[in-house]
Amino acid sequence: MLRTIAILLFVAVYTVVADTGENLSEYGSAESPTTSEEEECQLSEEKMKKQAKKFKNKCLKKGYESYIEGCVTQGNIETMSDSRYKRCGNRERKLAACDYRCPVDGDWSDYGEWSTCSEECGGGTQTRSKECNNPAPAYGGADCEGDATQTRDCNSQACPIDGEWGAWSAWSTCSEECGGGTQTRSKECNNPAPAYGGADCEGDATQTRNCNSQACPVDGEWGTWSAWSECSKECGGGTKTRSRECNNPTPAHGGNDCQGDSTKTQSCNTQNCEVVYKITHTTGSGTHDGGATSGAYLFTIIGHDGSTGEHDCSADRSKGTTSTCTIRDTAKIGKLKSMRVKNTSNNKWVFVDVSVKVNNVLRGRWAGSQAVDDYKTKTIVFTYIGDQLIEYVITHVTGTGTHDSGARSGMYEFQLKGANNAFYTAWHDCNANRNKGETGTCRIEDAAELGEIEQAGIKNTGDNTWAFTSFKVKVDGKVVANWSGNKKVSDYKTEWINF
């Protein structure tokens, strides 16, 4: 009992000292309060194994409470003698000096949801799985036992059987002896008959043909309309058609053709198509830059013709993390323009770059630093990424100083910025002659729509300083940006020039 009281008193003293911010060295380490100087490991690997075994069986299982990570106390410390308690403390200190950790055996997490059945009918299987992470094995602990997945049967009901036509019957007797009659034949939907919800046979169960058409003229009449065709589009407005033939009866012996159209067209699937927007963003690395995963922010994608609704977009927004979330919307917004983020909570979030894919095609990117404060709304404007790559021809003149020469490729990356520096290309390597006093030309291709080029950035990714005195950009043979002066790009630095 006295030993328990002593341990509790030490924890209480440590907690008070930690809360007041005093120097803990007066009381010893929070993890190892038995020594003021860090002890060196004096155990060989074999001896450490023996000490660890004794420590587990003679100390932990007897109720000794250890500060070593992973060690779990068993038993009742009240039954431990003072001499054993002292020996346990010595073992604990020796093991801790060798950075020993108690093994932690792995245990299974709960099973996840069952997967979709592999078959819609006729018997399939579905699976579910669990992970060995509750806890995960550590410090040499055993892996989980058993299988990580389960399988079960599903959708055992019989599959639908679509009906098929049987053979045609013989033709009936002609309805007229002359002047044009008709006769028919029929078939049944029994080869096989539809079952288990299968589709009926398509088409007509009877056929009609003219007979005894001699002598009298026969005016044409339309047959029945066919079934409507499939819609030409699944969404966004398509068309479907149906047709009929002038065969009921067909004109004969100088009779008149059928009057009117043989086809009809009708609009279908006029609802807007669903568009998938994948938003990839990077959260700032500041202490308070991290944001909530979901439920705190509403995202709106804005185009030149409209905007989506407001959507929660679940993603990891912890400090310094890059992650992607997806929203789906049927609004027709036209060409991507910007994105609005509304903070509906008191959870501030700071992001430093964003890119958006529209139906898996990169259409916009943005970089900077934007804070979405509590209950505030912020909008960023994207650099639009089009379908057509634009070739930028860059010509520069290297300086004539002793150390002005630079590397040809693999050392510098170039970026061009457009109107108000809001639109920009990606960073590109640009292979060119950069010997002292030489004129070099290189090409980069990028689909970003910049407008008028206002800036160029040169990023030195190594330890090879380069200085240049002129910089010119051409598109389709036309000079679109021109600069002259004296600019040095030092080791591992980025320099910008304004056109």
Side-chain angles (χ1 to χ4, degrees):
M1 176 64 73
L2 291 175
R3 188 180 306 110
T4 304
I5 294 172
I7 292 171
L8 293 173
L9 284 173
F10 170 76
V11 173
V13 169
Y14 172 76
T15 303
V16 171
V17 171
D19 289 343
T20 57
E22 295 183 14
N23 190 340
L24 298 180
S25 63
E26 299 179 14
Y27 305 95
S29 166
E31 292 186 347
S32 179
T34 59
T35 180
S36 59
E37 296 181 3
E38 189 170 335
E39 188 173 338
E40 295 183 357
C41 180
Q42 298 180 358
L43 299 175
S44 65
E45 183 176 354
E46 186 64 31
K47 287 183 177 181
M48 186 164 68
K49 289 181 180 179
K50 292 180 179 180
Q51 285 291 338
K53 183 176 181 180
K54 291 180 179 179
F55 185 62
K56 177 181 179 181
N57 294 327
K58 296 184 178 182
C59 296
L60 297 177
K61 289 186 176 181
K62 302 298 183 181
Y64 185 79
E65 298 178 352
S66 175
Y67 61 84
I68 294 178
E69 186 173 349
C71 296
V72 179
T73 302
Q74 305 172 10
N76 185 1
I77 195 171
E78 297 298 331
T79 63
M80 183 179 288
S81 67
D82 291 342
S83 59
R84 180 182 294 276
Y85 184 84
K86 184 175 181 181
R87 288 195 299 275
C88 289
N90 289 334
R91 289 192 180 101
E92 180 181 41
R93 187 176 66 257
K94 291 178 182 179
L95 290 170
C98 296
D99 199 22
Y100 174 75
R101 301 290 185 272
C102 287
V104 177
D105 294 339
D107 202 356
W108 293 111
S109 67
D110 292 336
Y111 276 105
E113 297 295 328
W114 287 101
S115 67
T116 302
C117 191
S118 61
E119 301 292 340
E120 294 184 358
C121 61
T125 58
Q126 57 183 168
T127 61
R128 66 177 181 177
S129 63
K130 57 184 177 180
E131 297 184 8
C132 187
N133 62 1
N134 187 34
Y139 313 122
D143 286 336
C144 297
E145 295 184 355
D147 296 327
T149 59
Q150 281 186 341
T151 301
R152 70 180 183 185
D153 295 333
C154 53
N155 290 346
S156 57
Q157 71 278 10
C159 291
I161 297 175
D162 293 338
E164 295 288 343
W165 292 113
W168 287 104
S169 67
W171 288 101
S172 66
T173 303
C174 189
S175 62
E176 301 291 340
E177 295 183 357
C178 65
T182 58
Q183 57 184 169
T184 62
R185 65 176 181 176
S186 63
K187 57 184 177 181
E188 295 184 7
C189 187
N190 62 0
N191 187 35
Y196 308 117
D200 287 336
C201 296
E202 294 184 357
D204 298 327
T206 61
Q207 280 186 344
T208 301
R209 70 179 181 183
N210 297 326
C211 55
N212 295 338
S213 57
Q214 70 280 4
C216 300
V218 177
D219 293 336
E221 295 290 341
W222 291 112
T224 57
W225 288 102
S226 67
W228 286 104
S229 67
E230 291 187 1
C231 193
S232 61
K233 294 183 179 179
E234 293 183 356
C235 59
T239 56
K240 59 182 179 179
T241 60
R242 65 177 181 175
S243 61
R244 59 184 178 176
E245 296 183 7
C246 187
N247 63 356
N248 188 34
T250 302
H253 307 297
N256 297 320
D257 287 336
C258 297
Q259 301 296 310
D261 297 326
S262 62
T263 60
K264 280 187 178 180
T265 301
Q266 182 174 302
S267 298
C268 54
N269 292 345
T270 57
Q271 74 279 9
N272 291 342
C273 295
E274 183 180 72
V275 180
V276 179
Y277 301 92
K278 290 188 177 180
I279 304 170
T280 300
H281 51 62
T282 300
T283 299
S285 57
T287 303
H288 304 292
D289 287 357
T293 298
S294 65
Y297 319 106
L298 294 177
F299 291 74
T300 302
I301 304 300
I302 303 170
H304 287 271
D305 298 334
S307 62
T308 68
E310 294 181 329
H311 296 268
D312 183 27
C313 204
S314 179
D316 184 0
R317 298 185 177 94
S318 52
K319 182 177 69 175
T321 299
T322 298
S323 58
T324 300
C325 64
T326 301
I327 64 177
R328 291 174 167 82
D329 200 289
T330 59
K332 292 183 177 181
I333 70 170
K335 184 177 177 181
L336 180 66
K337 181 180 179 182
S338 57
M339 181 180 76
R340 183 169 60 243
V341 183
K342 179 193 291 185
N343 189 343
T344 62
S345 69
N346 60 353
N347 197 332
K348 176 183 175 181
W349 175 44
V350 178
F351 54 89
V352 295
D353 70 61
V354 179
S355 64
V356 176
K357 287 184 176 181
V358 181
N359 290 335
N360 274 332
V361 178
L362 179 64
R363 288 304 187 197
R365 56 173 172 249
W366 172 92
S369 180
Q370 184 66 269
V372 188
D373 294 318
D374 302 350
Y375 303 104
K376 299 293 183 182
T377 300
K378 292 296 176 69
T379 300
I380 59 173
V381 179
F382 290 115
T383 297
Y384 182 76
I385 311 301
D387 294 319
Q388 187 68 36
L389 285 174
I390 300 173
E391 183 184 73
Y392 298 92
V393 179
I394 298 173
T395 301
H396 49 62
V397 178
T398 300
T400 58
T402 304
H403 303 292
D404 287 357
S405 296
R408 186 176 186 92
S409 66
M411 187 65 64
Y412 318 106
E413 293 180 351
F414 293 74
Q415 184 182 74
L416 301 177
K417 285 190 175 182
N420 299 319
N421 294 327
F423 309 118
Y424 55 92
T425 68
W427 290 97
H428 296 271
D429 184 23
C430 204
N431 189 333
N433 181 3
R434 296 185 179 95
N435 292 330
K436 182 175 70 174
E438 295 287 340
T439 298
T441 298
C442 60
R443 290 169 170 78
I444 64 174
E445 290 185 336
D446 200 288
E449 295 184 3
L450 304 182
E452 184 177 352
I453 298 176
E454 295 184 354
Q455 270 193 330
I458 303 93
K459 182 192 298 183
N460 189 340
T461 64
D463 57 356
N464 195 333
T465 297
W466 174 50
F468 56 93
T469 59
S470 71
F471 195 101
K472 180 166 57 180
V473 181
K474 287 184 178 181
V475 176
D476 293 333
K478 179 182 177 181
V479 176
V480 295
N482 201 357
W483 173 92
S484 63
N486 196 333
K487 180 69 70 174
K488 179 170 71 174
V489 188
S490 301
D491 302 348
Y492 302 101
K493 299 292 184 181
T494 299
E495 296 291 341
W496 293 90
I497 56 175
N498 297 315
F499 295 112

